[in-house]
Amino acid sequence: MYFVERGAGVDVLAVHGWTPDHRLMLGCLEPVFERVPGYRRLYPDLPGMGRTPAPPGVDSSDDVLAALDRFVDERIGSAPFLLIGESYGGYMARALARLRPSQVLGLALICPIGTAVEHAERTVPAHVTLRAEPGLESADPDFLEMAVVRTAATLEHYLADVQPGVEAADLGAMARIRQRWVLSTPPESGPPFERPSLILTGRQDSSTGFADQYPLLGHYPRATFAVLDLAGHNLQFEQPVLFGALLAEWLERVGAV
């Protein structure tokens, strides 16, 4: 798996969502970690996305999880690490925490897929744009379709962090994986994860919503659960101040264990 590495210290594995690549996580997390030394951040591209190929044998989310698990073996080994996942990456991160419960020091989820994996089964609000600057009506359609905060700043983040990965994705490979998208073993099928956790959701997230994540709390007894207003599926750059503060507080809780 292709990956980008930053910093030195305790390992942090950051897993991006469906279709974008490592730049999605790099863009939102580095401003936080630049203020908090002592962490080695690993940003991989999942199979079929970014610069990681997905050969024909990779045709399910189980295969994506297996590739991510091998990446941990190769780049982290048996050392303890922190785990952060966004959207589909949050689904993968929860499953990886199930596989390695004693090794994962803490788990942070950003707009994760909740208890309903398939889009048609999710409880989500209708899309709404609550803050809009003039002159952006003809911006990238994918950005407009998702933007709750439509400003020059959020568009800049989208173009830098999200769009390059979307354009680089192997759509054929992703369509193949999408046929077996639901993991064969649910992430919460094992014992509760009792390390410090963070679940961030957007009140206006029309992709993964916020309601299907609340039932996860029973499995994560050390979780802070936040529903941020004025935030959709791009919560990390629509509410950057709250995002940075809550992530920094999670790092403090993990460090205090």
Side-chain angles (χ1 to χ4, degrees):
M1 292 172 67
Y2 175 83
F3 71 101
V4 169
E5 179 178 337
R6 295 283 189 273
V10 177
D11 290 316
V12 180
L13 176 60
V15 188
H16 64 80
W18 186 253
T19 309
D21 62 12
H22 72 276
R23 283 168 283 200
L24 186 151
M25 305 303 282
L26 190 77
C28 68
L29 295 180
E30 282 305 293
V32 177
F33 282 105
E34 285 171 359
R35 301 192 297 268
V36 186
Y39 295 95
R40 172 191 178 225
R41 289 88 68 188
L42 300 173
Y43 299 97
D45 286 344
L46 293 175
M49 290 162 263
R51 294 172 61 178
T52 298
V58 178
D59 61 4
S60 68
S61 285
D62 286 338
D63 294 329
V64 174
L65 177 61
L68 192 60
D69 193 45
R70 288 193 298 272
F71 179 83
V72 174
D73 281 336
E74 295 166 2
R75 301 297 175 180
I76 298 176
S78 60
F81 66 99
L82 280 65
L83 185 53
I84 306 173
E86 189 270 348
S87 193
Y88 176 78
Y91 185 47
M92 292 293 104
R94 285 154 45 206
L96 190 61
R98 179 186 64 80
L99 294 177
R100 297 172 178 263
S102 63
Q103 195 176 354
V104 177
L105 295 173
L107 177 66
L109 306 172
I110 307 164
C111 299
I113 290 174
T115 52
V117 181
E118 294 290 356
H119 289 81
E121 299 172 359
R122 297 176 187 174
T123 303
V124 299
H127 174 255
V128 60
T129 298
L130 295 179
R131 181 175 294 168
E133 291 179 351
L136 299 177
E137 295 81 7
S138 61
D140 184 282
D142 290 336
F143 167 74
L144 295 176
E145 183 179 329
M146 193 171 291
V148 172
V149 179
R150 191 180 72 204
T151 63
T154 57
L155 177 59
E156 181 180 2
H157 280 290
Y158 175 85
L159 294 176
D161 301 345
V162 180
Q163 188 181 65
V166 172
E167 293 177 346
D170 180 344
L171 298 183
M174 294 182 67
R176 188 176 67 242
I177 296 168
R178 190 66 180 81
Q179 296 302 307
R180 297 168 62 199
W181 211 44
V182 178
L183 290 166
S184 58
T185 302
E188 285 71 42
S189 60
F193 180 79
E194 298 184 347
R195 301 286 179 83
S197 304
L198 175 65
I199 304 173
L200 294 178
T201 64
R203 185 66 177 82
Q204 291 81 30
D205 187 341
S206 58
S207 179
T208 55
F210 62 90
D212 295 332
Q213 290 75 10
Y214 187 77
L216 300 177
L217 286 178
H219 191 79
Y220 302 96
R222 293 288 314 281
T224 290
F225 180 77
V227 183
L228 304 188
D229 183 38
L230 208 66
H233 203 57
N234 289 323
L235 173 154
Q236 67 275 11
F237 54 75
E238 292 187 328
Q239 282 282 15
V241 175
L242 279 174
F243 172 78
L246 288 165
L247 198 69
E249 189 277 335
W250 169 70
L251 290 172
E252 289 183 4
R253 285 191 286 130
V254 172
V257 173

